[in-house]
Amino acid sequence: MQLIQSTNRGIAIIGPGYYKSLKEGEEVTQAVNLWGNPTIGNDRQFDVWKAIALQGTSA
């Protein structure tokens, strides 16, 4: 599991076949405690990371 973040998409947890967008506040705080600081990218990178996590590919 890994946290990802972009300016317009917010913060999400991704993993093999898994994606969950996080709400600000306690949800983000606890996720950072579990998985560390998010990988920060632009909106395009965020979308690619999400696609890879859910589909195994970005195409």
mmCIF file of all heavy atoms in Angstrom:
data_model
loop_
_atom_site.group_PDB
_atom_site.id
_atom_site.type_symbol
_atom_site.label_atom_id
_atom_site.label_comp_id
_atom_site.label_asym_id
_atom_site.label_seq_id
_atom_site.Cartn_x
_atom_site.Cartn_y
_atom_site.Cartn_z
ATOM 1 N N MET A 1 0.847 -1.168 0.000
ATOM 2 C CA MET A 1 0.000 0.000 0.000
ATOM 3 C C MET A 1 0.895 1.234 0.000
ATOM 4 O O MET A 1 1.952 1.249 0.614
ATOM 5 C CB MET A 1 -0.907 0.011 1.211
ATOM 6 C CG MET A 1 -1.784 -1.227 1.344
ATOM 7 S SD MET A 1 -2.834 -1.503 -0.064
ATOM 8 C CE MET A 1 -4.252 -0.563 0.388
ATOM 9 N N GLN A 2 0.416 2.263 -0.696
ATOM 10 C CA GLN A 2 1.195 3.494 -0.813
ATOM 11 C C GLN A 2 0.232 4.673 -0.900
ATOM 12 O O GLN A 2 -0.852 4.569 -1.475
ATOM 13 C CB GLN A 2 2.045 3.429 -2.071
ATOM 14 C CG GLN A 2 2.913 4.635 -2.277
ATOM 15 C CD GLN A 2 3.815 4.481 -3.496
ATOM 16 O OE1 GLN A 2 3.881 3.434 -4.098
ATOM 17 N NE2 GLN A 2 4.492 5.535 -3.839
ATOM 18 N N LEU A 3 0.642 5.797 -0.343
ATOM 19 C CA LEU A 3 -0.130 7.029 -0.450
ATOM 20 C C LEU A 3 0.377 7.827 -1.641
ATOM 21 O O LEU A 3 1.579 7.917 -1.866
ATOM 22 C CB LEU A 3 0.019 7.878 0.816
ATOM 23 C CG LEU A 3 -0.535 7.298 2.105
ATOM 24 C CD1 LEU A 3 -0.255 8.238 3.253
ATOM 25 C CD2 LEU A 3 -2.013 7.024 1.987
ATOM 26 N N ILE A 4 -0.555 8.399 -2.391
ATOM 27 C CA ILE A 4 -0.225 9.285 -3.499
ATOM 28 C C ILE A 4 -0.989 10.587 -3.314
ATOM 29 O O ILE A 4 -2.039 10.619 -2.674
ATOM 30 C CB ILE A 4 -0.546 8.653 -4.872
ATOM 31 C CG1 ILE A 4 -2.023 8.287 -4.982
ATOM 32 C CG2 ILE A 4 0.354 7.444 -5.122
ATOM 33 C CD1 ILE A 4 -2.457 7.813 -6.368
ATOM 34 N N GLN A 5 -0.450 11.674 -3.886
ATOM 35 C CA GLN A 5 -1.087 12.980 -3.717
ATOM 36 C C GLN A 5 -0.806 13.859 -4.924
ATOM 37 O O GLN A 5 0.284 13.823 -5.497
ATOM 38 C CB GLN A 5 -0.538 13.661 -2.469
ATOM 39 C CG GLN A 5 -1.110 15.029 -2.205
ATOM 40 C CD GLN A 5 -0.552 15.640 -0.926
ATOM 41 O OE1 GLN A 5 0.366 15.103 -0.310
ATOM 42 N NE2 GLN A 5 -1.118 16.751 -0.512
ATOM 43 N N SER A 6 -1.817 14.647 -5.305
ATOM 44 C CA SER A 6 -1.632 15.720 -6.285
ATOM 45 C C SER A 6 -2.499 16.894 -5.861
ATOM 46 O O SER A 6 -3.422 16.744 -5.053
ATOM 47 C CB SER A 6 -1.982 15.264 -7.705
ATOM 48 O OG SER A 6 -3.365 15.216 -7.905
ATOM 49 N N THR A 7 -2.215 18.049 -6.414
ATOM 50 C CA THR A 7 -2.902 19.278 -6.012
ATOM 51 C C THR A 7 -4.418 19.196 -6.179
ATOM 52 O O THR A 7 -5.165 19.517 -5.264
ATOM 53 C CB THR A 7 -2.367 20.469 -6.822
ATOM 54 O OG1 THR A 7 -0.960 20.538 -6.629
ATOM 55 C CG2 THR A 7 -3.000 21.764 -6.373
ATOM 56 N N ASN A 8 -4.886 18.755 -7.336
ATOM 57 C CA ASN A 8 -6.325 18.753 -7.611
ATOM 58 C C ASN A 8 -7.022 17.442 -7.288
ATOM 59 O O ASN A 8 -8.252 17.386 -7.297
ATOM 60 C CB ASN A 8 -6.568 19.108 -9.077
ATOM 61 C CG ASN A 8 -6.127 20.514 -9.394
ATOM 62 O OD1 ASN A 8 -6.403 21.443 -8.643
ATOM 63 N ND2 ASN A 8 -5.389 20.679 -10.480
ATOM 64 N N ARG A 9 -6.276 16.376 -7.023
ATOM 65 C CA ARG A 9 -6.877 15.065 -6.754
ATOM 66 C C ARG A 9 -6.885 14.715 -5.271
ATOM 67 O O ARG A 9 -7.576 13.805 -4.858
ATOM 68 C CB ARG A 9 -6.133 13.961 -7.509
ATOM 69 C CG ARG A 9 -5.992 14.154 -8.993
ATOM 70 C CD ARG A 9 -7.251 13.757 -9.731
ATOM 71 N NE ARG A 9 -7.014 13.674 -11.161
ATOM 72 C CZ ARG A 9 -7.148 14.677 -12.018
ATOM 73 N NH1 ARG A 9 -7.522 15.860 -11.586
ATOM 74 N NH2 ARG A 9 -6.928 14.509 -13.301
ATOM 75 N N GLY A 10 -6.097 15.403 -4.475
ATOM 76 C CA GLY A 10 -6.034 15.116 -3.049
ATOM 77 C C GLY A 10 -5.087 13.971 -2.757
ATOM 78 O O GLY A 10 -4.110 13.748 -3.467
ATOM 79 N N ILE A 11 -5.395 13.212 -1.701
ATOM 80 C CA ILE A 11 -4.560 12.101 -1.263
ATOM 81 C C ILE A 11 -5.368 10.816 -1.370
ATOM 82 O O ILE A 11 -6.555 10.784 -1.058
ATOM 83 C CB ILE A 11 -4.088 12.296 0.192
ATOM 84 C CG1 ILE A 11 -3.237 13.566 0.299
ATOM 85 C CG2 ILE A 11 -3.290 11.094 0.680
ATOM 86 C CD1 ILE A 11 -2.800 13.894 1.711
ATOM 87 N N ALA A 12 -4.692 9.746 -1.797
ATOM 88 C CA ALA A 12 -5.353 8.452 -1.920
ATOM 89 C C ALA A 12 -4.394 7.339 -1.522
ATOM 90 O O ALA A 12 -3.181 7.507 -1.537
ATOM 91 C CB ALA A 12 -5.834 8.238 -3.350
ATOM 92 N N ILE A 13 -4.978 6.197 -1.171
ATOM 93 C CA ILE A 13 -4.215 4.979 -0.915
ATOM 94 C C ILE A 13 -4.355 4.109 -2.152
ATOM 95 O O ILE A 13 -5.468 3.913 -2.659
ATOM 96 C CB ILE A 13 -4.767 4.208 0.294
ATOM 97 C CG1 ILE A 13 -4.746 5.058 1.543
ATOM 98 C CG2 ILE A 13 -3.995 2.911 0.504
ATOM 99 C CD1 ILE A 13 -5.485 4.447 2.710
ATOM 100 N N ILE A 14 -3.221 3.583 -2.632
ATOM 101 C CA ILE A 14 -3.277 2.636 -3.741
ATOM 102 C C ILE A 14 -2.506 1.379 -3.365
ATOM 103 O O ILE A 14 -1.611 1.399 -2.531
ATOM 104 C CB ILE A 14 -2.713 3.219 -5.058
ATOM 105 C CG1 ILE A 14 -1.255 3.658 -4.889
ATOM 106 C CG2 ILE A 14 -3.580 4.343 -5.569
ATOM 107 C CD1 ILE A 14 -0.566 4.020 -6.199
ATOM 108 N N GLY A 15 -2.878 0.301 -4.000
ATOM 109 C CA GLY A 15 -2.208 -0.983 -3.850
ATOM 110 C C GLY A 15 -2.680 -1.867 -4.990
ATOM 111 O O GLY A 15 -3.520 -1.453 -5.791
ATOM 112 N N PRO A 16 -2.168 -3.082 -5.098
ATOM 113 C CA PRO A 16 -2.594 -3.962 -6.191
ATOM 114 C C PRO A 16 -4.114 -4.156 -6.197
ATOM 115 O O PRO A 16 -4.685 -4.712 -5.265
ATOM 116 C CB PRO A 16 -1.874 -5.271 -5.897
ATOM 117 C CG PRO A 16 -0.704 -4.884 -5.051
ATOM 118 C CD PRO A 16 -1.177 -3.706 -4.246
ATOM 119 N N GLY A 17 -4.777 -3.624 -7.212
ATOM 120 C CA GLY A 17 -6.231 -3.735 -7.339
ATOM 121 C C GLY A 17 -7.019 -2.887 -6.365
ATOM 122 O O GLY A 17 -8.212 -3.101 -6.181
ATOM 123 N N TYR A 18 -6.383 -1.909 -5.742
ATOM 124 C CA TYR A 18 -7.051 -1.122 -4.697
ATOM 125 C C TYR A 18 -6.791 0.363 -4.871
ATOM 126 O O TYR A 18 -5.671 0.786 -5.154
ATOM 127 C CB TYR A 18 -6.534 -1.557 -3.315
ATOM 128 C CG TYR A 18 -7.242 -0.888 -2.171
ATOM 129 C CD1 TYR A 18 -8.473 -1.349 -1.734
ATOM 130 C CD2 TYR A 18 -6.686 0.210 -1.536
ATOM 131 C CE1 TYR A 18 -9.130 -0.726 -0.682
ATOM 132 C CE2 TYR A 18 -7.332 0.837 -0.486
ATOM 133 C CZ TYR A 18 -8.556 0.364 -0.063
ATOM 134 O OH TYR A 18 -9.208 0.978 0.969
ATOM 135 N N TYR A 19 -7.853 1.153 -4.682
ATOM 136 C CA TYR A 19 -7.759 2.614 -4.695
ATOM 137 C C TYR A 19 -8.808 3.159 -3.744
ATOM 138 O O TYR A 19 -9.966 2.734 -3.768
ATOM 139 C CB TYR A 19 -8.026 3.161 -6.103
ATOM 140 C CG TYR A 19 -8.182 4.660 -6.123
ATOM 141 C CD1 TYR A 19 -7.077 5.488 -6.196
ATOM 142 C CD2 TYR A 19 -9.439 5.248 -6.041
ATOM 143 C CE1 TYR A 19 -7.211 6.868 -6.195
ATOM 144 C CE2 TYR A 19 -9.593 6.623 -6.043
ATOM 145 C CZ TYR A 19 -8.472 7.425 -6.116
ATOM 146 O OH TYR A 19 -8.613 8.793 -6.110
ATOM 147 N N LYS A 20 -8.404 4.084 -2.872
ATOM 148 C CA LYS A 20 -9.356 4.773 -1.997
ATOM 149 C C LYS A 20 -8.897 6.201 -1.798
ATOM 150 O O LYS A 20 -7.796 6.458 -1.333
ATOM 151 C CB LYS A 20 -9.446 4.088 -0.631
ATOM 152 C CG LYS A 20 -10.473 4.779 0.285
ATOM 153 C CD LYS A 20 -10.547 4.138 1.631
ATOM 154 C CE LYS A 20 -11.640 4.673 2.516
ATOM 155 N NZ LYS A 20 -11.818 6.061 2.645
ATOM 156 N N SER A 21 -9.761 7.124 -2.162
ATOM 157 C CA SER A 21 -9.512 8.541 -1.936
ATOM 158 C C SER A 21 -9.752 8.838 -0.457
ATOM 159 O O SER A 21 -10.714 8.339 0.126
ATOM 160 C CB SER A 21 -10.464 9.366 -2.804
ATOM 161 O OG SER A 21 -10.218 10.728 -2.616
ATOM 162 N N LEU A 22 -8.886 9.635 0.136
ATOM 163 C CA LEU A 22 -8.998 9.932 1.564
ATOM 164 C C LEU A 22 -9.574 11.319 1.808
ATOM 165 O O LEU A 22 -9.285 12.256 1.073
ATOM 166 C CB LEU A 22 -7.615 9.852 2.223
ATOM 167 C CG LEU A 22 -6.913 8.507 2.149
ATOM 168 C CD1 LEU A 22 -5.523 8.618 2.777
ATOM 169 C CD2 LEU A 22 -7.721 7.429 2.836
ATOM 170 N N LYS A 23 -10.357 11.437 2.876
ATOM 171 C CA LYS A 23 -10.879 12.723 3.309
ATOM 172 C C LYS A 23 -9.827 13.389 4.184
ATOM 173 O O LYS A 23 -9.106 12.721 4.915
ATOM 174 C CB LYS A 23 -12.164 12.535 4.106
ATOM 175 C CG LYS A 23 -13.283 11.921 3.308
ATOM 176 C CD LYS A 23 -14.485 11.682 4.183
ATOM 177 C CE LYS A 23 -15.538 10.915 3.408
ATOM 178 N NZ LYS A 23 -16.571 10.379 4.284
ATOM 179 N N GLU A 24 -9.753 14.703 4.125
ATOM 180 C CA GLU A 24 -8.799 15.450 4.958
ATOM 181 C C GLU A 24 -9.107 15.207 6.431
ATOM 182 O O GLU A 24 -10.222 14.892 6.816
ATOM 183 C CB GLU A 24 -8.892 16.949 4.657
ATOM 184 C CG GLU A 24 -8.325 17.337 3.315
ATOM 185 C CD GLU A 24 -6.833 17.079 3.205
ATOM 186 O OE1 GLU A 24 -6.102 17.281 4.197
ATOM 187 O OE2 GLU A 24 -6.402 16.654 2.128
ATOM 188 N N GLY A 25 -8.109 15.348 7.250
ATOM 189 C CA GLY A 25 -8.299 15.229 8.689
ATOM 190 C C GLY A 25 -7.753 13.924 9.214
ATOM 191 O O GLY A 25 -6.672 13.469 8.833
ATOM 192 N N GLU A 26 -8.506 13.298 10.110
ATOM 193 C CA GLU A 26 -8.043 12.103 10.800
ATOM 194 C C GLU A 26 -7.728 10.948 9.849
ATOM 195 O O GLU A 26 -6.766 10.207 10.067
ATOM 196 C CB GLU A 26 -9.083 11.642 11.820
ATOM 197 C CG GLU A 26 -8.594 10.494 12.671
ATOM 198 C CD GLU A 26 -9.575 10.088 13.748
ATOM 199 O OE1 GLU A 26 -10.568 10.796 13.963
ATOM 200 O OE2 GLU A 26 -9.335 9.052 14.363
ATOM 201 N N GLU A 27 -8.497 10.814 8.783
ATOM 202 C CA GLU A 27 -8.247 9.740 7.817
ATOM 203 C C GLU A 27 -6.845 9.856 7.206
ATOM 204 O O GLU A 27 -6.110 8.880 7.118
ATOM 205 C CB GLU A 27 -9.322 9.777 6.732
ATOM 206 C CG GLU A 27 -9.520 8.478 6.020
ATOM 207 C CD GLU A 27 -10.740 8.496 5.129
ATOM 208 O OE1 GLU A 27 -10.877 9.417 4.301
ATOM 209 O OE2 GLU A 27 -11.547 7.562 5.249
ATOM 210 N N VAL A 28 -6.470 11.064 6.811
ATOM 211 C CA VAL A 28 -5.135 11.296 6.238
ATOM 212 C C VAL A 28 -4.060 11.114 7.309
ATOM 213 O O VAL A 28 -3.030 10.469 7.060
ATOM 214 C CB VAL A 28 -5.049 12.701 5.602
ATOM 215 C CG1 VAL A 28 -3.617 13.033 5.225
ATOM 216 C CG2 VAL A 28 -5.955 12.805 4.393
ATOM 217 N N THR A 29 -4.285 11.637 8.489
ATOM 218 C CA THR A 29 -3.314 11.521 9.573
ATOM 219 C C THR A 29 -3.000 10.063 9.884
ATOM 220 O O THR A 29 -1.834 9.673 9.998
ATOM 221 C CB THR A 29 -3.833 12.219 10.847
ATOM 222 O OG1 THR A 29 -4.098 13.578 10.546
ATOM 223 C CG2 THR A 29 -2.835 12.136 11.986
ATOM 224 N N GLN A 30 -4.023 9.249 9.997
ATOM 225 C CA GLN A 30 -3.815 7.833 10.312
ATOM 226 C C GLN A 30 -3.147 7.090 9.157
ATOM 227 O O GLN A 30 -2.302 6.218 9.379
ATOM 228 C CB GLN A 30 -5.138 7.166 10.696
ATOM 229 C CG GLN A 30 -5.745 7.705 11.975
ATOM 230 C CD GLN A 30 -4.788 7.645 13.148
ATOM 231 O OE1 GLN A 30 -4.081 6.666 13.346
ATOM 232 N NE2 GLN A 30 -4.740 8.709 13.934
ATOM 233 N N ALA A 31 -3.503 7.432 7.936
ATOM 234 C CA ALA A 31 -2.871 6.792 6.774
ATOM 235 C C ALA A 31 -1.383 7.128 6.716
ATOM 236 O O ALA A 31 -0.557 6.253 6.435
ATOM 237 C CB ALA A 31 -3.569 7.228 5.490
ATOM 238 N N VAL A 32 -1.026 8.370 6.993
ATOM 239 C CA VAL A 32 0.388 8.768 7.015
ATOM 240 C C VAL A 32 1.125 8.019 8.129
ATOM 241 O O VAL A 32 2.260 7.572 7.938
ATOM 242 C CB VAL A 32 0.532 10.301 7.167
ATOM 243 C CG1 VAL A 32 1.975 10.694 7.453
ATOM 244 C CG2 VAL A 32 0.033 11.001 5.909
ATOM 245 N N ASN A 33 0.481 7.833 9.264
ATOM 246 C CA ASN A 33 1.090 7.072 10.353
ATOM 247 C C ASN A 33 1.363 5.627 9.946
ATOM 248 O O ASN A 33 2.363 5.035 10.338
ATOM 249 C CB ASN A 33 0.213 7.090 11.603
ATOM 250 C CG ASN A 33 0.226 8.427 12.302
ATOM 251 O OD1 ASN A 33 1.149 9.210 12.142
ATOM 252 N ND2 ASN A 33 -0.821 8.701 13.060
ATOM 253 N N LEU A 34 0.468 5.048 9.148
ATOM 254 C CA LEU A 34 0.627 3.655 8.714
ATOM 255 C C LEU A 34 1.606 3.494 7.554
ATOM 256 O O LEU A 34 2.424 2.580 7.550
ATOM 257 C CB LEU A 34 -0.731 3.085 8.289
ATOM 258 C CG LEU A 34 -1.710 2.780 9.406
ATOM 259 C CD1 LEU A 34 -3.075 2.437 8.836
ATOM 260 C CD2 LEU A 34 -1.191 1.617 10.239
ATOM 261 N N TRP A 35 1.500 4.352 6.533
ATOM 262 C CA TRP A 35 2.228 4.143 5.286
ATOM 263 C C TRP A 35 3.268 5.214 4.978
ATOM 264 O O TRP A 35 3.923 5.144 3.946
ATOM 265 C CB TRP A 35 1.248 4.018 4.125
ATOM 266 C CG TRP A 35 0.428 2.769 4.235
ATOM 267 C CD1 TRP A 35 0.880 1.482 4.177
ATOM 268 C CD2 TRP A 35 -0.973 2.683 4.448
ATOM 269 N NE1 TRP A 35 -0.162 0.613 4.353
ATOM 270 C CE2 TRP A 35 -1.309 1.316 4.516
ATOM 271 C CE3 TRP A 35 -1.979 3.633 4.597
ATOM 272 C CZ2 TRP A 35 -2.609 0.869 4.723
ATOM 273 C CZ3 TRP A 35 -3.277 3.183 4.789
ATOM 274 C CH2 TRP A 35 -3.573 1.817 4.851
ATOM 275 N N GLY A 36 3.414 6.206 5.810
ATOM 276 C CA GLY A 36 4.402 7.255 5.573
ATOM 277 C C GLY A 36 3.858 8.360 4.686
ATOM 278 O O GLY A 36 2.697 8.345 4.276
ATOM 279 N N ASN A 37 4.707 9.320 4.393
ATOM 280 C CA ASN A 37 4.298 10.470 3.587
ATOM 281 C C ASN A 37 3.945 10.042 2.168
ATOM 282 O O ASN A 37 4.553 9.116 1.628
ATOM 283 C CB ASN A 37 5.410 11.514 3.547
ATOM 284 C CG ASN A 37 5.602 12.181 4.895
ATOM 285 O OD1 ASN A 37 4.648 12.400 5.619
ATOM 286 N ND2 ASN A 37 6.833 12.477 5.234
ATOM 287 N N PRO A 38 2.985 10.733 1.553
ATOM 288 C CA PRO A 38 2.576 10.365 0.192
ATOM 289 C C PRO A 38 3.620 10.728 -0.857
ATOM 290 O O PRO A 38 4.406 11.656 -0.674
ATOM 291 C CB PRO A 38 1.293 11.178 -0.022
ATOM 292 C CG PRO A 38 1.388 12.318 0.921
ATOM 293 C CD PRO A 38 2.188 11.833 2.089
ATOM 294 N N THR A 39 3.601 9.979 -1.937
ATOM 295 C CA THR A 39 4.372 10.330 -3.119
ATOM 296 C C THR A 39 3.606 11.453 -3.804
ATOM 297 O O THR A 39 2.416 11.323 -4.076
ATOM 298 C CB THR A 39 4.500 9.121 -4.068
ATOM 299 O OG1 THR A 39 5.172 8.076 -3.366
ATOM 300 C CG2 THR A 39 5.267 9.491 -5.323
ATOM 301 N N ILE A 40 4.268 12.567 -4.059
ATOM 302 C CA ILE A 40 3.598 13.736 -4.621
ATOM 303 C C ILE A 40 3.919 13.849 -6.097
ATOM 304 O O ILE A 40 5.066 13.716 -6.515
ATOM 305 C CB ILE A 40 4.017 15.018 -3.874
ATOM 306 C CG1 ILE A 40 3.612 14.897 -2.409
ATOM 307 C CG2 ILE A 40 3.392 16.261 -4.520
ATOM 308 C CD1 ILE A 40 4.108 16.012 -1.530
ATOM 309 N N GLY A 41 2.866 14.070 -6.888
ATOM 310 C CA GLY A 41 3.036 14.246 -8.322
ATOM 311 C C GLY A 41 1.982 15.186 -8.862
ATOM 312 O O GLY A 41 1.126 15.679 -8.123
ATOM 313 N N ASN A 42 2.022 15.416 -10.162
ATOM 314 C CA ASN A 42 0.992 16.250 -10.779
ATOM 315 C C ASN A 42 -0.256 15.396 -11.034
ATOM 316 O O ASN A 42 -0.270 14.192 -10.769
ATOM 317 C CB ASN A 42 1.519 16.922 -12.053
ATOM 318 C CG ASN A 42 1.956 15.934 -13.107
ATOM 319 O OD1 ASN A 42 1.339 14.883 -13.295
ATOM 320 N ND2 ASN A 42 3.032 16.249 -13.803
ATOM 321 N N ASP A 43 -1.316 16.011 -11.550
ATOM 322 C CA ASP A 43 -2.575 15.295 -11.745
ATOM 323 C C ASP A 43 -2.433 14.133 -12.730
ATOM 324 O O ASP A 43 -3.027 13.069 -12.541
ATOM 325 C CB ASP A 43 -3.670 16.252 -12.225
ATOM 326 C CG ASP A 43 -4.067 17.246 -11.145
ATOM 327 O OD1 ASP A 43 -3.743 17.029 -9.960
ATOM 328 O OD2 ASP A 43 -4.709 18.257 -11.494
ATOM 329 N N ARG A 44 -1.640 14.307 -13.765
ATOM 330 C CA ARG A 44 -1.429 13.238 -14.749
ATOM 331 C C ARG A 44 -0.733 12.043 -14.105
ATOM 332 O O ARG A 44 -1.135 10.894 -14.307
ATOM 333 C CB ARG A 44 -0.604 13.780 -15.923
ATOM 334 C CG ARG A 44 -0.116 12.720 -16.889
ATOM 335 C CD ARG A 44 -1.241 12.203 -17.778
ATOM 336 N NE ARG A 44 -0.701 11.248 -18.724
ATOM 337 C CZ ARG A 44 -1.137 10.013 -18.848
ATOM 338 N NH1 ARG A 44 -2.154 9.591 -18.143
ATOM 339 N NH2 ARG A 44 -0.599 9.194 -19.715
ATOM 340 N N GLN A 45 0.289 12.293 -13.317
ATOM 341 C CA GLN A 45 0.985 11.207 -12.624
ATOM 342 C C GLN A 45 0.035 10.481 -11.670
ATOM 343 O O GLN A 45 0.035 9.256 -11.601
ATOM 344 C CB GLN A 45 2.182 11.752 -11.855
ATOM 345 C CG GLN A 45 3.311 12.212 -12.744
ATOM 346 C CD GLN A 45 4.365 12.990 -11.983
ATOM 347 O OE1 GLN A 45 4.044 13.875 -11.191
ATOM 348 N NE2 GLN A 45 5.621 12.658 -12.230
ATOM 349 N N PHE A 46 -0.790 11.232 -10.952
ATOM 350 C CA PHE A 46 -1.768 10.648 -10.037
ATOM 351 C C PHE A 46 -2.679 9.692 -10.796
ATOM 352 O O PHE A 46 -2.927 8.569 -10.351
ATOM 353 C CB PHE A 46 -2.586 11.765 -9.386
ATOM 354 C CG PHE A 46 -3.541 11.305 -8.315
ATOM 355 C CD1 PHE A 46 -3.193 11.403 -6.983
ATOM 356 C CD2 PHE A 46 -4.799 10.815 -8.633
ATOM 357 C CE1 PHE A 46 -4.074 11.015 -5.986
ATOM 358 C CE2 PHE A 46 -5.679 10.412 -7.654
ATOM 359 C CZ PHE A 46 -5.319 10.516 -6.321
ATOM 360 N N ASP A 47 -3.184 10.127 -11.955
ATOM 361 C CA ASP A 47 -4.079 9.287 -12.757
ATOM 362 C C ASP A 47 -3.378 8.026 -13.253
ATOM 363 O O ASP A 47 -3.983 6.949 -13.282
ATOM 364 C CB ASP A 47 -4.635 10.085 -13.939
ATOM 365 C CG ASP A 47 -5.555 11.215 -13.501
ATOM 366 O OD1 ASP A 47 -6.051 11.189 -12.360
ATOM 367 O OD2 ASP A 47 -5.772 12.134 -14.319
ATOM 368 N N VAL A 48 -2.119 8.149 -13.624
ATOM 369 C CA VAL A 48 -1.351 6.978 -14.079
ATOM 370 C C VAL A 48 -1.153 6.002 -12.925
ATOM 371 O O VAL A 48 -1.348 4.796 -13.068
ATOM 372 C CB VAL A 48 -0.003 7.404 -14.701
ATOM 373 C CG1 VAL A 48 0.900 6.200 -14.929
ATOM 374 C CG2 VAL A 48 -0.234 8.142 -16.003
ATOM 375 N N TRP A 49 -0.754 6.500 -11.759
ATOM 376 C CA TRP A 49 -0.570 5.628 -10.598
ATOM 377 C C TRP A 49 -1.871 4.904 -10.247
ATOM 378 O O TRP A 49 -1.855 3.713 -9.941
ATOM 379 C CB TRP A 49 -0.100 6.423 -9.390
ATOM 380 C CG TRP A 49 1.242 7.077 -9.558
ATOM 381 C CD1 TRP A 49 2.288 6.632 -10.312
ATOM 382 C CD2 TRP A 49 1.670 8.297 -8.965
ATOM 383 N NE1 TRP A 49 3.341 7.500 -10.211
ATOM 384 C CE2 TRP A 49 3.003 8.535 -9.392
ATOM 385 C CE3 TRP A 49 1.082 9.221 -8.113
ATOM 386 C CZ2 TRP A 49 3.741 9.641 -8.996
ATOM 387 C CZ3 TRP A 49 1.809 10.324 -7.712
ATOM 388 C CH2 TRP A 49 3.125 10.528 -8.144
ATOM 389 N N LYS A 50 -2.997 5.621 -10.300
ATOM 390 C CA LYS A 50 -4.296 5.005 -10.012
ATOM 391 C C LYS A 50 -4.600 3.912 -11.024
ATOM 392 O O LYS A 50 -5.023 2.811 -10.654
ATOM 393 C CB LYS A 50 -5.396 6.082 -10.028
ATOM 394 C CG LYS A 50 -6.776 5.534 -9.774
ATOM 395 C CD LYS A 50 -7.811 6.645 -9.828
ATOM 396 C CE LYS A 50 -9.217 6.105 -9.697
ATOM 397 N NZ LYS A 50 -10.218 7.174 -9.827
ATOM 398 N N ALA A 51 -4.396 4.185 -12.314
ATOM 399 C CA ALA A 51 -4.671 3.201 -13.358
ATOM 400 C C ALA A 51 -3.799 1.960 -13.191
ATOM 401 O O ALA A 51 -4.285 0.830 -13.337
ATOM 402 C CB ALA A 51 -4.452 3.818 -14.739
ATOM 403 N N ILE A 52 -2.529 2.146 -12.895
ATOM 404 C CA ILE A 52 -1.639 1.009 -12.713
ATOM 405 C C ILE A 52 -2.085 0.157 -11.522
ATOM 406 O O ILE A 52 -2.092 -1.066 -11.586
ATOM 407 C CB ILE A 52 -0.176 1.470 -12.566
ATOM 408 C CG1 ILE A 52 0.322 2.017 -13.899
ATOM 409 C CG2 ILE A 52 0.714 0.336 -12.079
ATOM 410 C CD1 ILE A 52 1.665 2.723 -13.820
ATOM 411 N N ALA A 53 -2.471 0.808 -10.428
ATOM 412 C CA ALA A 53 -2.914 0.076 -9.245
ATOM 413 C C ALA A 53 -4.177 -0.738 -9.536
ATOM 414 O O ALA A 53 -4.293 -1.889 -9.125
ATOM 415 C CB ALA A 53 -3.173 1.034 -8.089
ATOM 416 N N LEU A 54 -5.124 -0.158 -10.265
ATOM 417 C CA LEU A 54 -6.398 -0.822 -10.502
ATOM 418 C C LEU A 54 -6.381 -1.778 -11.686
ATOM 419 O O LEU A 54 -7.048 -2.815 -11.656
ATOM 420 C CB LEU A 54 -7.505 0.219 -10.704
ATOM 421 C CG LEU A 54 -7.827 1.065 -9.481
ATOM 422 C CD1 LEU A 54 -8.871 2.118 -9.825
ATOM 423 C CD2 LEU A 54 -8.308 0.180 -8.333
ATOM 424 N N GLN A 55 -5.636 -1.437 -12.745
ATOM 425 C CA GLN A 55 -5.697 -2.214 -13.971
ATOM 426 C C GLN A 55 -4.391 -2.929 -14.296
ATOM 427 O O GLN A 55 -4.359 -3.767 -15.193
ATOM 428 C CB GLN A 55 -6.057 -1.306 -15.150
ATOM 429 C CG GLN A 55 -7.347 -0.573 -14.964
ATOM 430 C CD GLN A 55 -7.506 0.561 -15.968
ATOM 431 O OE1 GLN A 55 -6.705 0.730 -16.869
ATOM 432 N NE2 GLN A 55 -8.569 1.330 -15.793
ATOM 433 N N GLY A 56 -3.326 -2.573 -13.629
ATOM 434 C CA GLY A 56 -2.022 -3.155 -13.938
ATOM 435 C C GLY A 56 -1.358 -2.522 -15.137
ATOM 436 O O GLY A 56 -0.309 -2.951 -15.573
ATOM 437 N N THR A 57 -1.971 -1.473 -15.692
ATOM 438 C CA THR A 57 -1.421 -0.784 -16.861
ATOM 439 C C THR A 57 -1.952 0.644 -16.890
ATOM 440 O O THR A 57 -2.967 0.940 -16.265
ATOM 441 C CB THR A 57 -1.814 -1.500 -18.163
ATOM 442 O OG1 THR A 57 -1.260 -0.807 -19.274
ATOM 443 C CG2 THR A 57 -3.307 -1.593 -18.342
ATOM 444 N N SER A 58 -1.297 1.497 -17.606
ATOM 445 C CA SER A 58 -1.780 2.884 -17.721
ATOM 446 C C SER A 58 -2.426 3.159 -19.064
ATOM 447 O O SER A 58 -2.848 4.254 -19.334
ATOM 448 C CB SER A 58 -0.629 3.857 -17.490
ATOM 449 O OG SER A 58 0.346 3.712 -18.478
ATOM 450 N N ALA A 59 -2.504 2.163 -19.920
ATOM 451 C CA ALA A 59 -3.072 2.358 -21.265
ATOM 452 C C ALA A 59 -4.560 2.209 -21.269
ATOM 453 O O ALA A 59 -5.174 1.647 -20.458
ATOM 454 C CB ALA A 59 -2.455 1.376 -22.233
#
